[in-house]
Amino acid sequence: MRRDATSSARARIGAALLLLLSGSVVAAGEGDWPAFGRDPSNGHHSPLTTIDRSNVARLRPTWIFQSGVTGYFQAEPVIVEGVMYVSTTGNHVAALDAKTGRVLWTYTHKARTEKIFGPPSNRGVAVSEGLVFEATMDGRVIALDAKTGRLVWDQEAVRPEEGETETASALAATLGDKPVQGSSRLGFKMPPLVAEGLVIVGVTGAGYGLHVEDEKGGLDGGSVVGIEGGYGRRGWLAAYDAKTGAERWRWYVTKEDGWEGVFAETTPDGIPLNRDIAAEKAAAEKNRDAWKVGGGSLWMTPAYDPALGLIFLGTGNPAPQNFGLTRPGDNLYTMSLVALDVRTGQLRWHFQQVPHEQWGYDVASPPFLVEATTPDGQVKAVAQASKTGFIYLHERTTGRLLARSEPLITHKNLFAPPSPEGTVVSPGPLGAISWHPVAYDAVSNRAFAQVRHGAATYTIKTVPASGNRPELRYTETSEAKGEPTFSTLTAIDLASGKAVWSKKAGSRLSGGTLSTAGGLVFSGEEDGHLDAHDAGTGEILWRFQCGAGIGGPPVTYAVDGRQYVAVAAGGASFTKASGFGTGDALVVFALPD
């Protein structure tokens, strides 16, 4: 018991120091969950121990908040000094008494455009110095008074019309009566990071293709279309003054000078990319301005090391999605883990996981900070869980690759290019590990990841020339028929890179993971179950049906000595074909009094 108490105390002190150094005045009290990931390390781990292996089976709902807006509820709540702040579908925000669920105030967002990228989901807010910050799907960054919900400032970061393309409209018209959703319209999904008096957030929608519904009315089971040439926008990350909303710096994902890179034949860790380098170089002059619409969406909140003054973030796929000939070269700095100076936005280093990417393997899951064991001793490292099925460890100051885990899925035709006859590749664009946060327990040095196993078929198609419109080529990405599809919750020992245990889920896992010093890992499923696993063995010790798919990361906090677990249950997938309903509930659990 003494050792457990000491470990918990150290974890609390470390979290408090990290927040103090970050410039935030929000105290990391023992019971708080004051920021995305709990602290700037993005660890999604709590030192609380009241709920543990011995009693988690007694966990029961204690209160429920219903937002009144159904669907795509993906937010991670933030809890500061007994108040919970949560964003809902459509970018509305509520402040709740974290002990009782009583509504303290609500903010109703009025979007300036109905045309947004993807479903109207939002993944959370940030709280600092009496303000609540949110980045919205219609391209705004806003600050609310934390006590009243009053709008303090509203910065239009993206013009409402930004992102329209004639090419997209032309292709949509050729697809007949199949419903089409999406375009390269810019907006925000990620919870902001607040550091050094700055609100830092990046756009999504920069390089995504059109979604074509299948015969069941779903999108995940349909296809994603990436169009040849002229489709996409430059992704970017920007910092705004926390007091005024004025933009302080902006970093663009696509490199203006030399985005072609070195025409790498392998990934940096040595896996062949199967590129036609000669064809790319031959097309380079014709497509020398491809970087101007080069993509690179930013999906999730950066990790932050205040001692180094660096933030670490993953970047998305280049545009046009899944179609590489009109964007020759490596397409820097898409598909990368990058380190930026927090005060200026200057690039310090990058590691491009997949140069010239054609499969939708965005570096999407939020990076997290760890202490890595190497032959030279302990090294401050940053870890990133990838869609390709690896967890990478990098030295923080230089980006040097320290280690890579064993593959967490079974690969099939990895990096085989799309083809007219259709190429089956595993994993598909949904993962291995997508945007969902990975929890990290520093005591055990284990990461806990929701891993999706599945394959996709990548097919190049042609639309004949018509009138003044030339021939149009595009890549269609659809679920590979006959290939196994399932999810596992997997624990990875970061010292060895090996999976310690892996448990197959009853439905697709979603939302991300939470680990606690009570020896537990919480993980949500698309069928509505929230599960609590033994962190040591993976055994399910408790589960509860929340009534709708789990869409957001679970969190835990304490008020007046009582520990709670909270999770958003509003539907986890933008597909009608999943068979699971949508909802509007934030469900909060506790042990009986």
Side-chain angles (χ1 to χ4, degrees):
M1 293 295 292
R2 177 66 178 171
R3 184 175 61 183
D4 289 346
T6 301
S7 297
S8 296
R10 286 175 178 167
R12 291 195 298 272
I13 293 169
L17 287 173
L18 201 54
L19 280 169
L20 180 63
L21 289 169
S22 72
S24 170
V25 299
V26 177
E30 177 179 350
D32 286 347
W33 190 278
F36 177 80
R38 192 175 185 274
D39 62 50
S41 71
N42 267 354
H44 283 86
H45 178 82
S46 170
L48 298 178
T49 59
T50 303
I51 301 170
D52 60 20
R53 296 181 180 97
S54 69
N55 59 25
V56 69
R58 299 170 52 220
L59 208 59
R60 297 291 184 271
T62 187
W63 60 263
I64 296 174
F65 167 70
Q66 291 182 284
S67 71
V69 185
T70 301
Y72 317 123
F73 195 1
Q74 296 180 333
E76 176 175 306
V78 171
I79 300 93
V80 178
E81 297 180 350
V83 179
M84 176 184 289
Y85 304 90
V86 62
S87 58
T88 69
T89 301
N91 293 118
H92 311 308
V93 182
L96 312 169
D97 184 312
K99 185 176 181 178
T100 66
R102 179 173 63 91
V103 177
L104 303 177
W105 57 257
T106 60
Y107 162 77
T108 300
H109 186 66
K110 296 179 181 179
R112 296 177 184 174
T113 176
E114 294 182 359
K115 294 182 178 181
I116 61 173
F117 160 71
S121 56
N122 176 269
R123 292 172 182 163
V125 299
V127 180
S128 179
E129 299 191 13
L131 296 176
V132 179
F133 303 99
E134 184 189 34
T136 71
M137 285 299 297
D138 61 323
R140 292 149 63 190
V141 184
I142 63 174
L144 308 174
D145 185 286
K147 292 187 180 298
T148 66
R150 176 181 61 87
L151 184 66
V152 176
W153 55 256
D154 181 346
Q155 174 70 259
E156 185 178 69
V158 178
R159 296 293 304 167
E161 69 277 4
E162 188 172 343
E164 291 299 309
T165 64
E166 294 180 4
T167 308
S169 300
L171 178 59
T174 72
L175 296 174
D177 57 359
K178 290 184 178 181
V180 175
Q181 182 197 65
S183 71
S184 281
R185 177 173 291 280
L186 299 181
F188 299 103
K189 279 186 178 288
M190 70 166 66
L193 169 69
V194 181
E196 298 292 337
L198 301 172
V199 182
I200 300 170
V201 69
V203 292
T204 190
Y208 216 24
L210 299 173
H211 298 274
V212 184
E213 290 190 2
D214 63 10
E215 64 276 5
K216 297 179 182 179
L219 294 171
D220 283 355
S223 59
V224 175
V225 175
I227 310 164
E228 175 186 20
Y231 184 71
R233 289 294 181 270
R234 281 183 98 185
W236 49 262
L237 185 86
Y240 301 89
D241 187 290
K243 293 182 179 180
T244 67
E247 184 175 315
R248 295 305 182 201
W249 56 255
R250 181 178 294 202
W251 176 77
Y252 284 97
V253 176
T254 61
K255 192 175 188 296
E256 179 176 351
D257 180 21
W259 99 304
E260 298 86 358
V262 298
F263 291 87
E265 296 187 359
T266 70
T267 64
D269 46 324
I271 304 175
L273 288 166
N274 304 303
R275 294 169 64 176
D276 188 342
I277 300 295
E280 288 183 44
K281 289 184 175 181
E285 178 61 25
K286 179 181 177 182
N287 296 280
R288 62 181 179 275
D289 292 332
W291 60 271
K292 294 180 179 179
V293 289
S297 292
L298 301 168
W299 295 101
M300 292 303 290
T301 308
Y304 171 47
D305 183 333
L308 295 176
L310 294 180
I311 58 175
F312 307 90
L313 66 147
T315 67
N317 62 263
Q321 179 177 3
N322 308 145
F323 203 106
L325 197 55
T326 57
R327 47 173 173 83
D330 299 341
N331 312 142
L332 300 176
Y333 296 104
T334 64
M335 306 308 301
S336 299
L337 179 66
V338 301
L340 304 179
D341 186 295
V342 69
R343 296 175 184 86
T344 66
Q346 286 189 314
L347 179 73
R348 291 286 188 87
W349 57 259
H350 82 283
F351 180 91
Q352 192 173 33
Q353 289 183 7
V354 189
H356 194 69
E357 197 275 342
Q358 299 186 78
W359 304 270
Y361 294 151
D362 308 70
V363 183
S365 184
F368 53 100
L369 305 184
V370 306
E371 296 285 337
T373 302
T374 73
D376 299 323
Q378 292 293 104
V379 175
K380 292 186 180 299
V382 54
Q384 204 284 321
S386 72
K387 279 191 177 183
T388 53
F390 303 104
I391 294 181
Y392 294 91
L393 284 177
H394 301 267
E395 197 274 329
R396 288 183 211 170
T397 57
T398 66
R400 176 171 59 94
L401 182 63
L402 299 171
R404 190 193 72 186
S405 74
E406 67 179 9
L408 305 179
I409 61 166
T410 299
H411 291 128
K412 181 174 184 177
N413 298 327
L414 185 61
F415 303 137
S419 63
E421 61 274 15
T423 303
V424 175
V425 179
S426 176
L430 294 180
I433 303 170
S434 188
W435 67 267
H436 314 97
V438 172
Y440 171 67
D441 180 357
V443 174
S444 65
N445 198 28
R446 289 182 181 179
F448 304 94
Q450 295 178 326
V451 183
R452 292 176 174 179
H453 305 250
T457 301
Y458 297 83
T459 307
I460 296 176
K461 295 190 174 183
T462 302
V463 177
S466 176
N468 294 327
R469 179 177 53 77
E471 178 183 87
L472 183 66
R473 291 181 298 172
Y474 65 96
T475 297
E476 183 178 79
T477 306
S478 57
E479 183 179 347
K481 306 302 182 184
E483 295 289 332
T485 302
F486 60 96
S487 288
T488 58
L489 181 66
T490 302
I492 304 98
D493 177 9
L494 292 190
S496 67
K498 297 184 179 299
V500 180
W501 51 258
S502 189
K503 300 295 181 180
K504 188 174 181 179
S507 66
R508 194 161 70 184
L509 296 178
S510 186
T513 54
L514 160 70
S515 61
T516 77
L520 300 172
V521 180
F522 291 87
S523 174
E525 300 189 39
E526 285 197 355
D527 70 356
H529 280 100
L530 178 65
D531 306 325
H533 296 254
D534 185 311
T537 66
E539 176 189 358
I540 293 182
L541 303 177
W542 169 89
R543 59 196 323 240
F544 185 86
Q545 174 53 254
C546 294
I550 304 301
V555 303
T556 189
Y557 62 95
V559 179
D560 295 336
R562 190 182 190 192
Q563 185 179 351
Y564 301 82
V565 175
V567 72
S573 173
F574 58 97
T575 174
K576 303 172 188 175
S578 67
F580 306 118
T582 56
D584 67 344
L586 179 80
V587 188
V588 180
F589 305 88
L591 297 173
D593 288 328

